[in-house]
């Protein structure tokens, strides 16, 4: 039996139950933290790009670099660390927010807030529109999954233990969060449903997925990835609902205040997950020590 240090991609086909996992278990707490992180990603991305008037271009570059740094830390970690993992999720959510805005929007006044006449330096959007932007992102996400499938590596989050599989996982996460932002903004801004209506529609879709989990013919891995994409527009619409003006159907809490509250909630949840992981890691480490010896 191999030790964890010697694991290769081929070992995924017959994973050791005591392998040092790199990603969390998918539980109800996981989804609560995912929604909190993606909602914070929406409000924080808007805070930098719009409220602080850095603009979509500069903010996208800065947040993408933050994503790269957090991803390197996560990939270099030898085991699952809740702080590292959820920091990457948050950075993909923030970067995805401004990447989506940059793709879909333009420099016209309808996308500016607070009486601003311009945002930051550089081009403020490609103006592709939500349908074209979504089509590009869906194509990119499908391409990532096709490459992933061609490697023969697992799609199941609980069995991802190799560098290549985790790198593909994070590529899919970044694109899915950007796609989810586009979907959420479309529901909020262009569908006529408004922020609350868009959030309720996505929540209804997630409820359908919960029901489908009991259908044996539907793979849980497929449901996971659909849910992962859908929780992003839920966070996007919820974030817009918290921050947008009352006249537009929001609560007008502001990006700074909403981000501060959401960050506090997320820190508390990550702290709880860190404590739970330490408790769960003790027997796993003892077993791994026995295997190594």
């Amino acid at each position: 039996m191999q030790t964890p240090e010697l694991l290769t991609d081929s070992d995924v086909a017959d994973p050791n139950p005591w392998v040092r996992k790199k990603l969390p278990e998918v539980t109800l707490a996981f989804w609560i933290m995912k929604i909190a992180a993606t909602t914070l990603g929406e409000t924080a991305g808007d805070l930098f790009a719009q409220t602080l008037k850095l603009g979509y271009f500069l903010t996208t570059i800065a947040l993408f670099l933050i994503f790269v740094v957090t991803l390197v830390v996560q990939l270099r970690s030898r085991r699952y660390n809740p702080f590292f993992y959820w920091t990457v999720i948050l950075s993909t959510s923030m970067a995805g927010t401004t990447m989506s805005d940059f793709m879909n929007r333009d420099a016209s006044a309808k996308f500016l807030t607070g009486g601003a006449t311009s945002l930051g330096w550089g081009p403020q959007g490609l103006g592709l529109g939500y349908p074209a932007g979504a089509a590009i992102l869906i194509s990119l996400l499908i391409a990532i999954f096709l490459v992933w499938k061609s490697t023969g590596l697992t799609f199941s989050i609980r069995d991802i233990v190799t560098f290549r599989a985790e790198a593909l996982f994070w590529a899919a996460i970044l694109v899915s969060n950007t796609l989810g932002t586009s979907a959420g903004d479309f529901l909020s801004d262009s569908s006529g449903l408004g922020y609350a209506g868009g959030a309720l529609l996505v929540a209804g879709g997630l409820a359908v997925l919960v029901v489908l989990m009991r259908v044996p013919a539907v793979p849980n891995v497929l449901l996971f990835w659909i849910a992962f994409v859908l929780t992003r527009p839920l966070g996007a619409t919820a974030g817009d609902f918290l921050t947008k003006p009352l006249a537009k159907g929001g609560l007008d809490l502001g990006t700074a205040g909403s981000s501060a509250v959401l960050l506090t909630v997320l820190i508390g949840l990550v702290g709880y997950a860190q404590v739970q992981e330490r408790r769960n890691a003790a027997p796993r480490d003892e077993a791994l020590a026995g295997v190594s010896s």
Side-chain angles (χ1 to χ4, degrees), residues 206-235:
L206 291 172
V208 172
L209 295 181
V210 172
V211 174
L212 290 176
M213 287 178 61
R214 301 183 178 275
V215 180
V218 182
N220 281 341
V221 171
L222 174 62
L223 295 177
F224 168 82
W225 282 105
I226 296 175
F228 208 98
V229 172
L230 284 181
T231 49
R232 184 61 185 95
L234 179 61

Side-chain angles (χ1 to χ4, degrees), residues 60-75 87-96 99 167 169-175 177:
T60 295
I61 294 174
L63 293 179
F64 185 80
L65 291 176
I66 291 174
F67 159 69
V68 172
V69 172
T70 59
L71 178 60
V72 169
V73 173
Q74 165 65 23
L75 290 174
T87 299
V88 184
I89 291 291
L90 177 58
S91 68
T92 61
S93 298
M94 292 191 298
M99 288 168 62
F169 170 82
W170 287 114
I173 294 301
L174 178 61
V175 176
N177 273 337

